[in-house]
Structure formats: C-alpha cells, structure tokens
Amino acid sequence: MNDDLFNDEIIGIEIIINYLSNLKDMKEEDHFEEIGREKIVESIDHFVSDGDKDLCSLVDSLVLDLADPELCYEMAANIGWVDVKKYGQVVIDSKDIENNYFFAVNIGDADVLRHGQVIIDSLDPEYNYLFALYVENAKVSEHGKAVMRSKDVWYNYVFAHDVFGADIKGHGKVIIDSKDLYYNYTFAEEIDGCDMKGHCDVLLNSDKKDFYMNKAKEEAQYHLYPYLGIEKGKVKEKK
C-alpha cells in the first residue's frame, strides 16, 4: 500500500474495506498501524449511509468480526446506523475496562449494568470510582465494594468524599486499617458520618500524635477535639 494515500483527509471506502478484511491476517501488534481507528470510522461515517443496507451489513460484519473493543466503541460513538447492543456486546466480552467505562458514559442506550459489571469484576479502584461518579444508574454500592476490596486509600477516600450514596464507614474502615496518618486525619476532618473515634485512635496511637493534635488545634477542627482528647476551653480562639 502507498502510505501517501493515508495522508488524505478522507480515505476511500474501498481501501477501508480492504484494510479491515486483511487485519485478521496481520499480527495483532500491527493492527491499525497503517490506518488508525479514528480514521477508519471517519471514512465509514463519510461514505456509508443507512440507506445502503448491503454496504452497512458488510462494514458491520468486518468490524464486529475483529472484536476490537476500541474500534467498536468508536463506531458506536460516531456512526448513527450501528446496532449499539451488538457493538456494546463486543466491548463487554472484551473485559476492557477503559472502553466499557467510556461506552457506558457516552453511548445512549448502552447496557449500563452489564458494562458496570465488567468494571466491578475488575476490582480496578480508579474505574470503579469513575463509573459510580459519572454513570447514571450505576450500582454505587457494588462499585464501592470493589474499591474497598482494592484497599487503595486514595480511591476509598475520594469515593466516600465524592460519590452520593457511598458507604462512608465501609470506606473509612479501609482507611483506618491502613493506619495511614494523613488519610485518617483527612477522612475525619472532611467526611460527614465517618467513624470519628476510629480515625482519631489511629492518630493517637502513632508517634505523630502530638503533630496531629497540634494540627487540629491550629486548624480549629473542633469536631475532632473530643476524639483527640483536646479540651476546647484550653485552646486559644483564633482572632
């Protein structure tokens, strides 16, 4: 193939069909090297209309047969005539967490719960957090449990902080069990409904006890005083 052809703004549909037809015979690492996914979808969108049933069917069969989750996502996101459920199924079957997340976020009529289950099963704390935060009708409690199982202190903190309906004490227990002083202080400082005593006990049982007691005083975190053993009457009020 002449590489100069692929510098054109739009690539002819005959070239695209020939390229898609030959991809299965290439090594997987060479897929989409000559023509990228976005350029393929751009050309399909330009040349193939829903009025040409035979051409739609041919493109459909070639794309779906490749079972490439990113290409299927790009097709569903940009081509109006595709069957979203068929393309979504390829993405679900791939177990690719990034494309399952984007499919659920951006594609109308996506099967949110099935894409979400892929994310839950992955136990990936970042994508479970993002899915619960941004995808309407996500199973917040199940995504939250996946984040708890990851034991990642950052994502347990932000899940509790940002996601409506989060299990505050469940995420807080991960923070308490981690013994991480910064996140225990921050969790107790910022998250309503947390196990204040549990978080403060971690601080009191550490060699940084005095540091965090002084920090609470300096920042006037009055709600922490009873759990840190600070008597409010003996603390000078800020002027």
Side-chain angles (χ1 to χ4, degrees), residues 66-234:
L66 287 170
D68 181 84
E70 185 177 347
L71 180 59
C72 284
Y73 165 70
E74 292 292 343
M75 287 287 291
N78 295 286
I79 308 296
W81 51 261
V82 302
D83 185 331
V84 166
K85 293 191 184 303
K86 285 183 181 178
Y87 283 78
Q89 187 62 53
V90 172
V91 176
I92 290 165
D93 290 342
S94 75
K95 308 297 184 188
D96 182 288
I97 58 175
E98 182 177 35
N99 283 293
N100 272 278
Y101 166 68
F102 283 122
F103 209 99
V105 168
N106 296 324
I107 307 299
D109 298 325
D111 190 335
V112 166
L113 295 183
R114 294 185 67 214
H115 289 291
Q117 192 60 49
V118 173
I119 307 298
I120 291 164
D121 292 343
S122 76
L123 301 182
D124 183 279
E126 178 183 8
Y127 278 99
N128 274 284
Y129 162 69
L130 292 172
F131 206 97
L133 185 62
Y134 292 118
V135 179
E136 189 175 356
N137 298 321
K139 288 184 175 178
V140 168
S141 64
E142 296 304 310
H143 290 287
K145 288 175 185 175
V147 174
M148 290 177 215
R149 288 179 64 185
S150 77
K151 307 296 185 186
D152 186 291
V153 293
W154 164 251
Y155 282 109
N156 275 277
Y157 160 65
V158 292
F159 200 103
H161 188 277
D162 297 341
V163 178
F164 179 77
D167 179 354
I168 300 300
K169 287 190 168 63
H171 292 290
K173 188 175 186 307
V174 174
I175 306 298
I176 291 167
D177 291 345
S178 76
K179 308 297 184 188
D180 185 288
L181 301 180
Y182 172 81
Y183 281 106
N184 272 282
Y185 180 84
T186 303
F187 209 93
E189 178 189 19
E190 296 182 2
I191 309 296
D192 291 338
C194 71
D195 178 4
M196 204 82 69
K197 182 178 184 304
H199 293 291
C200 288
D201 282 349
V202 172
L203 305 175
L204 293 174
N205 292 325
S206 74
D207 58 2
K208 295 289 185 69
K209 170 184 172 180
D210 291 340
F211 171 83
Y212 282 101
M213 288 181 71
N214 288 329
K215 183 176 175 67
K217 293 175 188 176
E218 289 169 5
E219 297 176 352
Q221 298 294 336
Y222 298 128
H223 65 296
L224 300 183
Y225 286 10
Y227 304 98
L228 292 174
I230 302 170
E231 294 183 37
K232 185 176 178 181
K234 294 184 178 180

